[in-house]
Structures are given as C-alpha cells and as structure tokens.
C-alpha cells in the first residue's frame, strides 16, 4: 500500500505536467539542496579557502590581473572564477548593506551554476528522449552527493559543469532538433554556445575543449552524421578567442608570467603523467567511487549499461555515450585522481539511466536482466547508501558529538532505503528504486548539511581559533607557525603571515609586523627559546586549540602567543 501511494504521487501523469510545473518543482529542490545550507559549512581547506582568499585580496587591492594568495601568485587556474566570485560577493555586500561579504556570497556562483545544470539536464533529456526522461534525469542529478557537495564549495567545478552542459544542450539542438536548425534565430544560440566555451576556458582552462572535442569528434565518427557546418566553426572560433583573450593578456601584462607557466605545467601537464598532490589512484577508481559520489545514478549502472549496449545503434544513445566514455576512460588512465573530474559526465549518465527506466521493454534486455548473476551484480551499487551512512556514523563518533538524533536519522533513512532498493532491484522494479534513492539522498544529505557541521567541532580548528579571537576582541596582525591552513588566512585577514620557521617569526616580530603568533605545539619550544634568546617579550595565552587537521590527516595542538 505504501509503495502504491508513492507511485500515485509520482506517476506518469504527474510527470507529464506542463514545463512550468516541472521547472517550479526543480527550482524548489535546488533551493533546498543547494542554497538552504550554503552557509552551514565553515570555509574548507585547502582549495576553496585559497580561491576565496585570492578573491578577497582582489577586491581589497582592486587588482583584477595579478591574482595572489597573500604574496604568492595564484595562477594555476584562469581568472574567470575569481572575477565571478568577486562580482557575487560585491553584489551581496551592496544589496544587503554589509561591511564585508559573507562566506556564502563566494559560494553563490557554484550554487547558481549547479541549479542551472539541473534545469539544463531536464531540457536536454526532454530533447533527446522526452519530458518524463528529462525530469527523472534532473532528479537523479539534483540528488547526487557530488553535485550537492560541489554546489556548496567556492571552486570552479559547478560552473564548469553548467558551461559544458549548456554547450552540449545547444549541440543536441543542432543535431536532433530540425525546428531549431530552421529557426532564423538559431545561429545566435550557437554563437552563444561558442561564447560559453570561451567563458568556460576562463574558468577552468582547456578542459572544456577536451570535453566538447571528444563528444563532437567521436559522435561524428560513430554516427557519420554531418553537423559541423551547422555549428558555424569559423565565426565560433573568433568568438571563443575574443572571450578567452583576457587570460592571455594577463599572462603578458601581469607581473608573474614565468610563475604562470610553471603553474600550468604542474597543474595540468604533470597530472597527465604522474600523481600530483597525493591524489594518485589506479584505473577503476572513478568507477568504484561513483557508487557513493553519484549514488542515485550509479545505482542503476548495470541495467543502464545493458540497455545502452542493446540500443548502441540508436543515434541518441551514441551521442550520450560519446559525451561520457572517451573522457571517462582518459580520467581513469590519468594517474592523478580527483572526484570532481567526472562531474561534467554525470548529466549524460543520468539521462541514459532515465531512458532505461522509462523504456525498458526489450525482451532481450529483460531476459539478460532476469539472470540471477546479473541481479546479484545489480545489487552491489545499492551499498552506496550504506557506505555513506557508515561514513557519517564514523565521522560523528570520531570527530563530532557522537550518535546524535541527526546522525540516527541519516543512518535510519539509508538503512531503510537500502532494504527497499535491494528488494525493488531484485524484482526489477526500477521506478520504486528510483523514488527511494532520490528521496533518501535528498532527505539524508540535507539533514547532514544542515545539522552535522555544527557537531563536528574537532575538525573545524580554524573556526575554533577564529571564534575565540572574535569573542575576545583580539586586534592586530597574526603570524602562523605550523598550522597555517588557507581557511585560517581567510578568517584572520590578508595582513596575516605564514611563517616557515621560528627564525622567520622572530624576524617578522622585530620588524613590528606581527602582534600575535599562532604556534603549533611541535614548534612552541623552539619558538620560546628563540624569543628568549632575542630578548623578545611574549605571553602564551591560557588557551589551547586541539583538533584534527583533515588536510594533513593528523591531530594538532595549537597555542596563541601575544607579542608584548
């Protein structure tokens, strides 16, 4: 009876509502998932805080060309995301009459981009298969942990996702929508897509070109469909160059061109041949990790693969496979592995999954899916929810307040969801599995994002230091010896200094550049000894900050020292 009620709530008639109703539903979901908890998570180390602090300094200095983190040029990525975050922070500050832009204002571009991606997934699915497939794909995407997490982080990845998805959407209109090609204004949308390619280049560099190039070239090879002349390549390339030109101008006229080249070498090319920044992993890592990071989509990976194989001659299936497989294979082969690399591939996988769920009526496919070993293999991705719940449980016990009500609810939701999903997969009732997995993730992940951050005080070392300084109204410039995470730099301000040794600390103190020094325990004895040797008057405050530095994977104890 409970299952029947669910089916009535989300039956095909409901899914067949007019586009406005669907868009309102999706807008409501993206608000709940991407915006409601945008400010609950403290600044994250290390990438997000580096992006934010570099943007803060950009706004403070009014220098939008020479991007820096403290005194270090930050040219690993193009300037687009910094400009976007600066615009967002400035608008929020002025509209709300604030002295300083809040943390969430820097994350706003990611949340907005993730929202656009969900709506574009619906529109793309509608063009390729139909309205029902479009909304199912959008629901799968909006409830994916990787998408939800990236929407809460002030980085490039959500914006890149929206850009790539818009380009693929326009490309699909060119290839599959005859009315679009015949419309007199269609070329302007194509030109807009080229401009978006240029903008995406300003966000993440040449990565966007790889995604679009692979999709277009492999689709041309396997479909033998002629469409290159319809995308206005000569004019498009001109538009792309015009939009992407600012990055090259910055290289030539900025003051860090040699550092830029070294950064590009380390950030892009070395990742192709060796593991960088301790992010190495073997091929197959993305496939296995996606059981968690893209759980709603990967829950159906086995039947989706079987369905796609049986429909491999369908031109729409070919198009979607070409937008996923080449890039996925490349990412699996590259030694450096970061979970967000595969983010732009998830919408196409979601649409394929939606198409499989709606149109699973081929007898040959059903015979294959009914085999016992296939059913058992299909159950493995159902463990994704269990893995997430265990992860939350361990996190809460080790670094939080223990098994609280919110943790219990998260674990309970995933456990019940696992039982329903497993039974439904065995019975090949994919619609019930779909409803359950989407509902479970939307509910559990939002509970986690809203309530868990306040319970994990042991990993928010920066916030503990910052809150103490704010409560005690401590004024002055700060030096950081040992613990010097970017989040602490952001919280303490652009005048703070990262110190590499006790000698450097003493030197900066002598020059009256530091009022307080935040010293990790392993440096405290040497620092005090050097201070006494140099006859500096210091006072160790009666406070010690302890916690787990997740960036380094170690427990730390931190002291606050006042320079007298």
């Amino acid at each position: 009876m409970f299952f029947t009620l669910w089916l009535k709530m989300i039956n095909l008639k409901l899914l067949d509502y007019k586009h406005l109703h669907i868009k309102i539903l999706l807008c409501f979901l993206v608000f709940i998932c991407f915006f409601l908890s945008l400010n609950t998570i403290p600044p994250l180390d290390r990438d997000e805080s580096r992006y934010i602090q570099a943007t803060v300094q950009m706004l403070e200095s009014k220098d939008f060309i020479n991007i820096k983190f403290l005194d270090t040029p930050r040219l690993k990525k193009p300037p687009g995301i910094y400009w976007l975050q600066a615009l967002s922070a400035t608008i929020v500050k002025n509209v709300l009459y604030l002295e300083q832009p809040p943390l969430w204002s820097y994350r706003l571009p990611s949340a907005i981009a993730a929202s656009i991606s969900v709506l574009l997934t619906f529109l793309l699915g509608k063009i390729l298969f139909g309205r029902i497939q479009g909304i199912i794909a959008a629901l799968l995407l909006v409830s994916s942990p990787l998408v939800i997490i990236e929407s809460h982080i002030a980085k490039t990845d959500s914006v890149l996702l929206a850009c790539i998805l818009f380009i693929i959407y326009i490309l699909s209109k060119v290839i599959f929508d005859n009315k679009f090609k015949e419309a007199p204004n269609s070329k302007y949308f194509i030109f807009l897509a080229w401009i978006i390619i240029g903008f995406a280049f300003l966000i993440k560099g040449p990565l966007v070109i790889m995604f679009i190039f692979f999709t277009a070239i492999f689709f041309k090879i396997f479909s033998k469909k002629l469409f290159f002349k319809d995308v206005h390549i000569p004019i498009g390339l001109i538009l792309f160059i015009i939009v992407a030109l600012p990055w090259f101008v910055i290289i030539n006229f900025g003051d860090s061109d040699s550092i830029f080249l070294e950064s590009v070498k380390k950030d892009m090319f070395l990742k192709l041949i060796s593991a960088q920044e301790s992010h190495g992993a073997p091929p197959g890592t993305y496939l296995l990790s996606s059981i968690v990071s893209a759980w709603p989509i990967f829950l159906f990976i086995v039947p989706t693969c079987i369905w796609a194989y049986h429909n491999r001659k369908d031109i729409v299936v070919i198009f979607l496979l070409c937008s996923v497989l080449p890039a996925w294979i490349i990412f699996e082969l590259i030694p450096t592995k970061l979970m967000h690399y595969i983010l732009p591939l998830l919408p196409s996988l979601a649409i394929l999954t939606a198409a499989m769920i709606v149109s699973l009526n081929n007898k040959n496919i059903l015979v294959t899916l009914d085999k016992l070993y296939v059913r058992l293999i299909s159950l493995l991705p159902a463990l994704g929810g269990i893995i997430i719940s265990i992860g939350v449980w361990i996190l809460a016990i080790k670094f939080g307040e223990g098994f609280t009500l919110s943790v219990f609810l998260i674990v309970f939701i995933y456990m019940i969801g696992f039982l329903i999903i497993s039974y439904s997969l065995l019975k090949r009732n994919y619609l019930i599995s779909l409803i359950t997995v989407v509902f479970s993730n939307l509910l559990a992940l939002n509970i986690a994002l809203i309530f868990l951050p306040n319970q994990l005080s042991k990993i928010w070392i920066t916030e503990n230091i910052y809150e103490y300084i704010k409560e005690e109204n401590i004024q002055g410039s700060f030096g950081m010896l040992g613990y010097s995470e970017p989040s602490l730099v952001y919280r303490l301000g652009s005048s703070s200094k990262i110190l590499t040794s006790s000698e450097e600390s003493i030197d900066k103190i002598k020059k009256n550049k530091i009022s307080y020094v935040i010293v990790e325990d392993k440096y405290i004895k040497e620092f005090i000894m050097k201070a006494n040797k140099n006859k500096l008057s210091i006072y160790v405050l009666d406070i010690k900050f302890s916690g787990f530095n997740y960036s380094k994977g170690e427990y730390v104890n931190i002291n606050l020292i006042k320079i007298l």
Side-chain angles (χ1 to χ4, degrees), residues 158-215:
S158 282
V159 178
L160 179 68
L161 170 64
C163 291
I164 291 174
L165 197 49
F166 178 81
I167 297 159
I168 291 177
Y169 170 69
I170 296 299
L171 188 59
S172 68
K173 295 277 282 184
V174 170
I175 296 172
F176 300 106
D177 191 344
N178 292 326
K179 291 182 180 179
F180 176 79
K181 288 188 287 187
E182 295 169 0
N185 296 327
S186 62
K187 64 180 180 181
Y188 297 112
F189 286 97
I190 296 169
F191 294 154
L192 178 60
W194 280 102
I195 291 172
I196 294 296
I197 293 176
F199 178 72
F201 191 87
L202 285 177
I203 294 294
K204 194 82 171 179
L207 199 59
V208 62
I209 298 174
M210 183 198 77
F211 281 111
I212 303 305
F213 178 81
F214 280 169
T215 301

Side-chain angles (χ1 to χ4, degrees), residues 510-527:
K510 284 182 175 180
K511 294 177 181 178
N512 297 319
K513 291 185 177 181
I514 296 174
S515 307
Y516 292 84
V517 184
I518 296 166
V519 185
E520 197 173 327
D521 250 9
K522 59 184 176 183
Y523 295 96
I524 189 69
K525 289 183 179 179
E526 183 186 7
F527 177 82

Side-chain angles (χ1 to χ4, degrees), residues 3-221:
F3 290 151
T4 306
L5 181 59
W6 265 7
L7 282 172
K8 287 181 179 179
M9 290 171 62
I10 195 164
N11 59 30
L12 299 186
K13 289 183 180 179
L14 176 60
L15 293 175
D16 202 38
Y17 276 170
K18 292 181 180 180
H19 295 169
L20 180 61
H21 295 78
I22 294 173
K23 291 171 185 175
I24 290 173
L25 170 64
L26 293 178
C27 286
F28 173 74
L29 290 177
V30 299
F31 173 76
I32 296 296
C33 294
F34 302 155
F35 293 91
L36 194 61
S37 52
L38 200 57
N39 203 41
T40 60
I41 305 173
L44 298 172
D45 288 313
R46 294 177 172 154
D47 282 352
E48 181 188 45
S49 293
R50 285 172 177 157
Y51 277 110
I52 295 174
Q53 177 58 29
T55 304
V56 169
Q57 291 179 218
M58 178 187 287
L59 291 170
E60 291 173 346
S61 65
K62 309 299 181 187
D63 185 349
F64 296 91
I65 294 178
N66 299 299
I67 302 165
K68 293 183 178 181
F69 175 81
L70 293 183
D71 297 323
T72 305
R74 179 146 176 85
L75 297 170
K76 282 187 175 184
K77 297 291 188 296
I81 193 63
Y82 303 104
W83 294 343
L84 207 57
Q85 289 177 0
L87 177 64
S88 170
T90 302
I91 291 173
V92 170
K93 175 187 173 183
N94 293 334
V95 169
L96 299 180
Y97 299 101
L98 302 172
E99 290 186 10
Q100 296 295 332
L103 171 62
W104 61 267
S105 66
Y106 298 97
R107 291 170 171 168
L108 204 54
S110 294
I112 293 171
S115 306
I116 293 171
S117 299
V118 171
L119 295 174
L120 283 172
T121 299
F122 161 67
L123 295 175
L124 181 59
K126 177 182 171 294
I127 289 173
L128 298 179
F129 290 105
R131 192 181 304 169
I132 297 170
Q133 291 89 334
I135 191 171
I136 290 175
L139 290 172
L140 288 169
L141 191 71
V142 76
S143 58
S144 293
L146 184 59
V147 177
I148 293 175
I149 290 168
E150 289 297 334
S151 72
H152 287 69
I153 304 177
K155 296 200 292 126
T156 57
D157 302 290
S158 282
V159 178
L160 179 68
L161 170 64
C163 291
I164 291 174
L165 197 49
F166 178 81
I167 297 159
I168 291 177
Y169 170 69
I170 296 299
L171 188 59
S172 68
K173 295 277 282 184
V174 170
I175 296 172
F176 300 106
D177 191 344
N178 292 326
K179 291 182 180 179
F180 176 79
K181 288 188 287 187
E182 295 169 0
N185 296 327
S186 62
K187 64 180 180 181
Y188 297 112
F189 286 97
I190 296 169
F191 294 154
L192 178 60
W194 280 102
I195 291 172
I196 294 296
I197 293 176
F199 178 72
F201 191 87
L202 285 177
I203 294 294
K204 194 82 171 179
L207 199 59
V208 62
I209 298 174
M210 183 198 77
F211 281 111
I212 303 305
F213 178 81
F214 280 169
T215 301
I217 292 299
F218 280 97
F219 180 71
K220 173 69 172 64
I221 293 171

